[in-house]
Each structure stands twice: as structure tokens, then as C-alpha cells.
Amino acid sequence: MDTSHAEPVELPRVNDENYEEYHDAPAAVVFFKIANCHGCEEYEPAIQHTVRTFSPKVRFGRALMHVPGCRGIKKRYEFDSYPTTHLYNRGRL
């Protein structure tokens, strides 16, 4: 099915306050991105397709690493490049 013209899915924001909810979920995916990232924008169609395919069985969220509120996440993981995607299963990355 072609979903390229479907309305974009707005993903919930992931930050230090709610990160553990995703980390500890039975099935969750967090997309990490930064502002003005060309690769992040090119990755967006794949994100949208994945969300449409697997929601609501899988919890999805987006962490904007260039805004305040993600300092704890940055300390927990070393991000070498963006976009980055983490898949979680009951506390395991």
C-alpha cells in the first residue's frame, strides 16, 4: 500500500522525564534527531511508514536532542551520528 501521500504521524516527544516509559515498554522505538539534519529529514518517510505499519502494537517516540530536556539521555548513550534509532524491549536496548 502506498502511504507516501498520507497525513504525517505526529510522534510524541521523548525527553528525560518520560524516557524510562519507552525504555521499559514491551516494544518501543525512539527516533533521535537534531535540528538542520539533512539525513534526519531524509529518514522521515521510513519513520512514517514504520509507525503506520506497527502502531499501536509498538510504542513510538521522537527525541529532539538539540533542545533542553534530553541531557540525561545524552549522558546515558553516546551518539556518534544522527539520525539514530533505538529499539527497546522491557528495558533492553
Side-chain angles (χ1 to χ4, degrees):
M1 175 187 342
D2 181 16
T3 59
S4 59
H5 299 301
E7 284 293 314
V9 177
E10 187 65 33
L11 294 176
R13 293 278 287 282
V14 176
N15 55 38
D16 291 340
E17 290 181 23
N18 66 2
Y19 172 75
E20 291 301 324
E21 296 172 21
Y22 289 85
H23 183 268
D24 296 337
V29 177
V30 177
F31 303 104
F32 297 91
K33 69 177 280 184
I34 57 173
N36 301 317
C37 169
H38 182 70
C40 298
E41 298 309 316
E42 286 185 347
Y43 190 38
E44 189 64 31
I47 292 170
Q48 293 292 319
H49 175 74
T50 304
V51 172
R52 285 189 190 92
T53 302
F54 294 101
S55 277
K57 297 175 202 155
V58 177
R59 184 173 186 180
F60 291 93
R62 178 172 308 181
L64 304 176
M65 302 305 286
H66 58 281
V67 298
C70 291
R71 183 172 293 192
I73 297 170
K74 287 180 189 176
K75 287 182 180 180
R76 188 170 186 169
Y77 299 105
E78 185 175 319
F79 294 93
D80 292 327
S81 63
Y82 294 97
T84 296
T85 302
H86 285 182
L87 291 77
Y88 301 99
N89 175 261
R90 292 179 175 87
R92 293 185 333 199
L93 173 61

